[in-house]
């Protein structure tokens, strides 16, 4: 039997991607005790999103944010790649790593044996013209599962499997998601518990595009997680225009907090 290499407690994790889900995945990994590294060209913004000034939240010493211009940051990044036990790949945007960047963070020799990747295509059911219309009319962040985007994610998953196939003890976890929502601390009157990592209140300011801040309401109304075995999760179907900005858990939705817990917790499983 082949045993996947679980990332040990205190192990080193490199996180790559973009958007709130990438930052929250890194913060979650650090909270769970992993020595986590990310790279940022927007260090001030990342700091504001990661740590709440309103709650006087201290920075986590397990999370290292590297810049992109200093020689010492480049050296530290190369060290993080070469000595990583785990790699997290998480994009808010509908994109994946280019082949060049994938070769950088997962080199032919050395580097992580355990990879957790966020992928967006669910099982393909519950999509169609109503979902595409909701993306245009209600929420541009809706995952509409176009054939081109689905194929992009499938191709990238196959690339990851191929790269890891030759690494003894390697393991790949693919966490599938739909429309990403929330990721902040919820309301001050009903906050998410302190032991569950979230981004700061600034997330809601950056994401808010409506009079009602439904991203905040989503974090207030949606606690816990519903798991579906295999690739059985469906999209919103005919209800898409109503669920696009809904604050309750709806088919095709994925909470950033829950998605990041799945990504990070998978690293410890062998």
């Amino acid at each position: 039997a082949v045993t996947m290499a679980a990332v040990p407690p205190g192990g080193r994790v490199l996180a790559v991607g973009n958007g709130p889900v990438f930052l929250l995945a890194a913060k979650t990994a650090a909270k769970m005790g992993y020595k986590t590294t990310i790279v940022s060209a927007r260090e001030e913004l990342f700091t504001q999103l990661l740590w709440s000034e309103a709650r006087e939240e201290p920075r986590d010493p397990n999370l290292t944010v590297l810049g992109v211009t200093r020689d010492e940051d480049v050296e530290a990044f190369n060290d993080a790649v070469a000595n990583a036990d785990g790699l997290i790949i998480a994009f808010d945007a509908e994109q994946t790593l280019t082949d060049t960047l994938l070769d950088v963070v997962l080199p032919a020799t050395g580097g992580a044996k355990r990879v957790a990747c966020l992928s967006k295509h669910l099982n393909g059911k519950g999509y169609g013209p109503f979902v595409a219309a909701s993306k245009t009319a209600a929420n541009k962040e809706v995952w509409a599962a176009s054939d081109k985007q689905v194929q992009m994610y499938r191709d990238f998953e196959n690339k990851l499997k191929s790269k890891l196939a030759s690494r003894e003890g390697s393991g790949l976890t693919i966490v599938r998601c739909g429309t990403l929502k929330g990721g902040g601390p919820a309301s001050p009157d009903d906050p998410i518990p302190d032991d569950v990592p979230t981004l700061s209140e600034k997330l809601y300011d950056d994401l808010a595009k409506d009079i009602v801040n439904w991203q905040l309401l989503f974090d207030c109304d949606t606690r816990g997680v519903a798991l579906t075995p295999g690739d059985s999760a469906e999209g919103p179907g005919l209800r898409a225009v109503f669920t696009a900005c809904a604050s309750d858990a709806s088919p095709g939705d994925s909470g950033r907090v829950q998605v990041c817990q799945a990504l990070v917790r998978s690293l410890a499983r062998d």
Side-chain angles (χ1 to χ4, degrees):
V2 176
T3 301
M4 294 192 296
V7 178
R12 299 179 65 168
V13 170
L14 175 66
V16 296
N18 69 16
V21 74
F22 152 65
L23 287 178
L24 185 52
K27 185 174 182 178
T28 302
K31 178 76 172 182
M32 292 189 180
Y34 296 124
K35 306 298 183 184
T36 307
T37 300
I38 62 174
V39 176
S40 167
R42 308 172 70 188
E43 193 168 347
E44 182 178 356
L45 174 61
F46 276 26
T47 298
Q48 292 172 351
L49 285 168
L50 283 166
W51 317 116
S52 170
E53 290 186 8
R55 290 179 288 148
E56 298 182 340
E57 182 180 12
R59 300 189 186 190
D60 191 329
N62 284 331
L63 180 55
T64 299
V65 182
L66 300 176
V68 295
T69 58
R70 299 183 296 266
D71 289 343
E72 56 265 33
D73 285 338
V74 174
E75 293 176 5
F77 174 75
N78 291 335
D79 178 72
V81 169
N83 294 290
D85 299 299
L87 172 66
I88 297 174
I89 304 171
F91 285 86
D92 245 87
E94 293 177 10
Q95 68 181 91
T96 60
L97 288 173
T98 64
D99 290 349
T100 300
L101 287 177
L102 180 58
D103 288 340
V104 169
V105 300
L106 204 59
T109 58
K113 288 187 176 181
R114 192 61 181 269
V115 178
C117 177
L118 188 63
S119 192
K120 273 190 175 180
H121 60 79
L122 299 183
N123 76 342
K125 296 181 180 179
Y127 290 98
F130 288 97
V131 183
S134 73
K135 184 179 182 72
T136 302
N139 177 8
K140 70 176 183 178
E141 305 300 330
V142 164
W143 167 241
S146 69
D147 291 342
K148 180 180 179 180
Q149 298 302 85
V150 168
Q151 191 60 51
M152 175 190 71
Y153 284 110
R154 287 176 175 167
D155 289 346
F156 185 70
E157 290 175 16
N158 288 331
K159 289 176 188 176
L160 282 176
K161 292 173 184 176
S162 177
K163 279 184 102 24
L164 291 170
S166 60
R167 298 183 182 222
E168 184 178 354
S170 66
L172 170 64
T173 299
I174 295 172
V175 176
R176 301 209 191 280
C177 71
T179 300
L180 290 166
K181 293 184 175 181
S187 166
D189 298 328
D190 185 22
I192 291 176
D194 289 340
D195 60 343
V196 178
T198 71
L199 297 180
S200 74
E201 299 82 359
K202 181 172 172 53
L203 174 72
Y204 301 131
D205 295 332
D206 288 0
L207 293 178
K209 298 177 178 64
D210 303 289
I211 295 175
V212 176
N213 196 327
W214 56 266
Q215 299 273 5
L216 184 152
L217 294 176
F218 180 87
D219 284 329
C220 292
D221 296 344
T222 309
R223 306 288 171 90
V225 64
L227 298 175
T228 56
D231 287 340
S232 58
E234 299 184 8
L238 298 177
R239 298 182 60 225
V241 72
F242 303 106
T243 63
C245 299
S247 63
D248 57 341
S250 304
D253 288 347
S254 301
R256 290 185 180 88
V257 172
Q258 292 84 350
V259 160
C260 291
Q261 288 283 329
L263 285 167
V264 175
R265 288 177 182 271
S266 73
L267 296 176
R269 300 183 66 85
D270 52 28

